[in-house]
Amino acid sequence: MYQKFWKRIIDILLSAIGILVLTPVWLILAVAIKADDPGPIFFRQKRIAQDKDGQIRYFQIYKYRSMKMCTPKDTPTHLLENPEQYITKVGGFLRKTSLDELPQIFNIFLGQMSIIGPRPALWNQEDLYAERAKYGANAVKPGLTGWAQINGRDELPIDVKAKLDGEYVEKMSFLFDVKCFLGTISSVLKSDGVVEGGTGAMEKEKDEQK
């Protein structure tokens, strides 16, 4: 009952309130992004959607643009060589504070995402999609934040991230979503698990130092 009805009602209400209340923030960030590096304010990226028919489906996720206009097109951050060189000054702040993810409130309002759920995999992360399938984590709507995000985020290798996403599916409830939400606030304030270079980036760095 919670997953099929109340979770969506909560998503609609909170995303609608967020869109209205955060209007001054939208304007301030838009001006800052434009002043730092002229170009589009928002960035769209192809992500894997909720699996309803056993086939990989996609949607366009919205973010504040944090990369320079000279960044190679259609190349995910974790595939870039030295991604820091392409991040704008404002973009660095947005990514560290996770404010670059704020426009996904619109994805939530439109029903493409939920506030809490497994983070939507990149279009080319078929390995993560396959690993999540073992735990039924592809069958739930992707989220703005989730259980894996407060337990490691970018630091996590794919198998661990998928397992945590599976744990979320098993424990999904209103109280567990509240726990994930509060845990996200703590993680964002401490910038826990933010590693430029993508999934398992810290693990790769450790391997290179051996």
Side-chain angles (χ1 to χ4, degrees), residues 24-59:
V25 178
W26 302 120
L27 296 175
I28 293 171
L29 293 180
V31 171
I33 292 168
K34 277 283 189 181
D36 191 6
D37 188 66
I41 296 169
F42 297 108
F43 170 70
R44 292 190 304 169
Q45 191 176 58
K46 187 177 178 181
R47 295 289 182 111
I48 297 178
Q50 180 181 10
D51 188 346
K52 295 182 179 179
D53 51 19
Q55 300 293 324
I56 298 182
R57 296 161 53 251
Y58 306 95
F59 74 103

Side-chain angles (χ1 to χ4, degrees), residues 31-184:
V31 171
I33 292 168
K34 277 283 189 181
D36 191 6
D37 188 66
I41 296 169
F42 297 108
F43 170 70
R44 292 190 304 169
Q45 191 176 58
K46 187 177 178 181
R47 295 289 182 111
I48 297 178
Q50 180 181 10
D51 188 346
K52 295 182 179 179
D53 51 19
Q55 300 293 324
I56 298 182
R57 296 161 53 251
Y58 306 95
F59 74 103
Q60 294 290 324
I61 200 172
Y62 296 100
K63 290 187 173 189
Y64 275 122
R65 181 172 62 87
S66 60
M67 310 290 278
K68 299 176 182 177
M69 292 301 295
C70 62
T71 305
K73 303 297 182 183
D74 299 320
T75 305
T77 306
H78 70 283
L79 294 181
L80 291 171
E81 183 176 348
N82 186 21
E84 289 84 357
Q85 66 178 311
Y86 297 110
I87 299 174
T88 64
K89 292 180 180 178
V90 171
F93 168 75
L94 293 175
R95 295 165 82 94
K96 184 176 181 179
T97 58
S98 295
L99 285 172
D100 61 319
E101 311 284 359
L102 204 55
Q104 286 158 45
I105 290 178
F106 291 97
N107 289 111
I108 295 170
F109 186 76
L110 294 172
Q112 299 166 325
M113 291 176 60
S114 181
I115 294 173
I116 309 295
R119 281 296 295 166
L122 291 163
W123 58 271
N124 63 343
Q125 286 185 301
E126 295 182 4
D127 48 355
L128 177 57
Y129 176 85
E131 196 67 26
R132 281 176 170 171
K134 300 177 182 178
Y135 304 99
N138 294 321
V140 299
K141 195 170 291 183
L144 177 65
T145 186
W147 187 232
Q149 276 56 56
I150 64 175
N151 284 284
R153 200 170 172 178
D154 296 334
E155 298 177 4
L156 299 174
I158 285 174
D159 57 336
V160 176
K161 181 179 289 188
K163 187 174 182 180
L164 286 169
D165 289 332
E167 286 182 18
Y168 171 74
V169 174
E170 291 179 3
K171 300 178 181 179
M172 189 190 303
S173 66
F174 173 72
L175 290 179
F176 196 62
D177 276 3
V178 171
K179 181 177 182 178
C180 290
F181 185 81
L182 295 177
T184 297

